[in-house]
Amino acid sequence: MRSASLPELDQSPVAAADPGSSLPADWTAGPFMEIFVRGYQDSDGDGRGDLRGLTQRLDYLADLGIRGLWLMPITESQDHDHGYAVTDYRALEQDYGTLEELDELLAQAHARGIGVILDYVMNHSGAQHPAFLRASDRRGDAVFDWYVWERDRPAGWRIYGNDPWHPSRGSRPGFYFAGFWDQMPDFNLQNPEVVAWHHDNLRFWLNRGVDGFRFDAVGNLVEHSAEAWENQPENYALMGQVAQLVGSYQRRYVICEGPADPGGFAAETACGAAFAFGRQYDFIAAAKGDRAAVGKVAAHVAAGSSRLSAIASNHDTFAGQRLFDQVGGDLRRYRLAAATYLLQVGTPFVYYGEEIGLAGAARLGGDPKLRTPMSWTAEPVTAGFTSGVPFRELSANVATHNVAAQLADPGSLWSFYRALFALRRSSPALAQGVADLVQAEDLVLRFRRQLGGQSVVVAMNYEDAARTTQMSGLPPGARLARAFPAGAADATVDGQGVASLTLGALEAAVFRVVP
């Protein structure tokens, strides 16, 4: 009997062909929104979101004030859900649409001044990827070294509570390494041929006009032993090479997921930007009235870097539940938590639905709980997400927290986010300035943001009662004109550089410093 042929593997080289960029130079200051395309908007009634649906919602995103989109993986995958088990790095998930529809999304986003970055999975592929299928076969010697193999199962390994070594599923004997899931085998990124192939894949998307990438699991790229499997020196060098490649294109952007060492991966010699994992727990705890957390937030603000991006939550449970669920539905504390990170140094990333208080699904657990269809309306079966049957249970609070209801309410959470985004856009100091004069006192946090000749003061009252607080170090005789919230009282600085600030209960306030 003739054995089945090995699957084809596209290794064709891709030369750089930069189409340029029409985006403004400061587009990477954000804010960005992370979008799960499968859960955002369905355009064809199959119950699954797609690129055309996202394109139809670009006006909504532009009106909200979004400047960048991070799309969770849209490449072809074997999981047909989260997308991190990639089976073709140069093709789109069929549920999402065609390359031409991606081109249209990019064109329409760019016309609105919105950049689009894609999630790229360099650490591992899906087990059904042609390269791994070939490597698992005795006839696939040419790509055997594309993955991490051992003849005998290594002892003593535990990663995230599991043994990462799995028996071969093909005719080749041995064990392969897969740190996250047996269906996501790790690439051997010490093999220059694999790295060069990934670079070709990146150029494939950059040449189409994609504005950059979010890189998944960069702390896991290279493993040396059971004791040295995370944040190895090679990881930073690999990402530095990638950042150089992407940076050779006009106005492109790279940000990395490196939860165990955000600062290391944010360095200019590595990714150049990374998510500030861990900080979200502090500002959410502060918003819930934790005095110690207020001091921690102050330390984060003082050490603020434009290369570190704050989040409230994202698609992974390790980053926390949806913000609505973390604050128990208390919208005053929700607003305060949001303001805490949106007004800090760094490009903020909001998770889709955060702007309306989207909750997790009531009857789901794990990551699916966080990845529900977007609530566009209060319709209890479809939430305005689809004309068919949604692929997943809706958010638990779809009846009360949906776009249609909030657009009609000037006091809504959506209006709060829109106002803060507009404030960031109107203030270079807030969008890109440094922070100084960081002062924490009990449940009050005060700091200044500056850029060039512009200066603003930010004050947060984490107490459920009005407070008057003193801020020192300001220009003597200056006026503090209230910029947020609208209609609240201004303040003045006395001859010793001290201002008396009156803050409402659980209020975030912003003042423009007028000499």
Side-chain angles (χ1 to χ4, degrees), residues 34-198:
E34 178 193 359
I35 288 182
F36 180 33
V37 173
R38 188 174 300 275
Y40 202 64
Q41 180 66 67
D42 172 25
S43 72
D44 58 13
D46 68 357
R48 298 181 289 272
D50 46 50
L51 294 172
R52 286 181 57 198
L54 175 55
T55 302
Q56 292 167 4
R57 294 297 186 178
L58 287 175
D59 283 340
Y60 165 82
L61 291 163
D63 186 40
L64 178 61
I66 296 299
R67 301 288 296 278
L69 302 179
W70 154 29
L71 308 187
M72 286 174 62
I74 61 173
T75 42
E76 188 177 288
S77 72
Q78 73 182 66
D79 60 81
H80 302 300
D81 187 349
H82 53 76
Y84 290 98
V86 181
T87 53
D88 191 336
Y89 281 83
R90 303 184 192 180
L92 295 177
E93 183 75 22
Q94 291 187 15
D95 287 342
Y96 291 168
T98 65
L99 287 172
E100 290 72 26
E101 287 169 333
L102 174 63
D103 293 341
E104 180 65 12
L105 169 65
L106 293 172
Q108 292 298 328
H110 293 165
R112 293 163 174 79
I114 299 173
V116 180
I117 66 172
L118 305 186
D119 218 320
Y120 192 89
V121 189
M122 192 170 172
N123 179 68
H124 54 263
S125 74
Q128 296 302 310
H129 192 283
F132 188 69
L133 293 175
R134 294 173 76 94
S136 302
D137 193 290
R138 292 179 182 272
R139 297 169 293 166
D141 286 347
V143 294
F144 167 67
D145 197 37
W146 277 39
Y147 293 87
V148 181
W149 294 88
E150 291 291 346
R151 177 73 183 191
D152 300 308
R153 186 196 294 269
W157 284 76
R158 300 297 288 180
I159 294 180
Y160 309 125
N162 301 304
D163 185 343
W165 294 97
H166 306 278
S168 173
R169 296 172 176 268
S171 61
R172 185 184 300 280
F175 294 81
Y176 66 91
F177 184 90
F180 290 101
W181 179 33
D182 68 347
Q183 291 300 298
M184 297 194 306
D186 280 37
F187 283 111
N188 175 14
L189 293 170
Q190 294 182 287
N191 182 342
E193 186 176 84
V194 177
V195 175
W197 176 74
H198 276 298

Side-chain angles (χ1 to χ4, degrees), residues 436-457:
D436 67 358
L437 300 183
V438 183
Q439 304 164 10
E441 178 186 3
D442 196 22
L443 285 173
V444 174
L445 171 66
R446 308 175 296 267
F447 57 93
R448 180 172 62 179
R449 299 285 308 276
Q450 292 192 99
L451 183 67
Q454 188 186 71
S455 163
V456 299
V457 165

Side-chain angles (χ1 to χ4, degrees), residues 65 417 423:
Y417 271 79
L423 182 61

Side-chain angles (χ1 to χ4, degrees), residues 257-472:
E257 178 202 39
D261 187 17
F265 285 107
E268 188 174 2
T269 53
C271 301
F275 294 103
F277 284 107
R279 295 186 179 184
Q280 72 271 27
Y281 303 124
D282 294 328
F283 66 71
I284 292 171
K288 294 164 75 171
D290 185 324
R291 284 173 167 77
V294 175
K296 293 178 181 178
V297 172
H300 297 323
V301 173
S305 166
S306 61
R307 298 182 182 277
L308 285 171
S309 289
I311 61 168
S313 66
N314 67 12
H315 62 283
D316 284 322
T317 52
F318 81 79
Q321 295 298 312
R322 285 267 184 184
L323 182 54
F324 184 90
D325 297 319
Q326 292 194 62
V327 299
D330 186 332
L331 294 188
R332 296 183 307 159
R333 298 188 186 278
Y334 193 117
R335 287 178 170 88
L336 189 55
T340 300
Y341 88 93
L342 291 174
L343 296 173
Q344 288 187 32
V345 176
T347 299
F349 279 71
V350 300
Y351 190 32
Y352 78 98
E354 182 186 323
E355 76 279 13
I356 58 168
L358 196 73
R363 294 174 297 177
L364 296 177
D367 294 338
K369 179 183 180 71
L370 313 178
R371 305 172 186 175
T372 63
M374 177 66 172
S375 296
W376 295 103
T377 71
E379 208 289 318
V381 176
T382 68
F385 161 74
T386 180
S387 59
V389 178
F391 74 100
R392 179 167 290 153
E393 179 185 331
L394 300 178
S395 164
N397 63 1
V398 60
T400 55
H401 291 70
N402 58 78
V403 172
Q406 297 208 14
L407 290 181
D409 178 6
S412 68
L413 191 58
W414 182 90
S415 297
F416 177 86
Y417 271 79
R418 185 172 185 262
L420 275 182
F421 293 163
L423 182 61
R424 283 180 54 88
R425 287 197 311 276
S426 69
S427 171
L430 277 178
Q432 296 178 286
V434 299
D436 67 358
L437 300 183
V438 183
Q439 304 164 10
E441 178 186 3
D442 196 22
L443 285 173
V444 174
L445 171 66
R446 308 175 296 267
F447 57 93
R448 180 172 62 179
R449 299 285 308 276
Q450 292 192 99
L451 183 67
Q454 188 186 71
S455 163
V456 299
V457 165
V458 178
M460 308 276 186
N461 179 17
Y462 297 101
E463 187 172 352
D464 196 1
R467 286 285 301 270
T468 297
T469 184
Q470 308 296 313
M471 183 169 186
S472 59

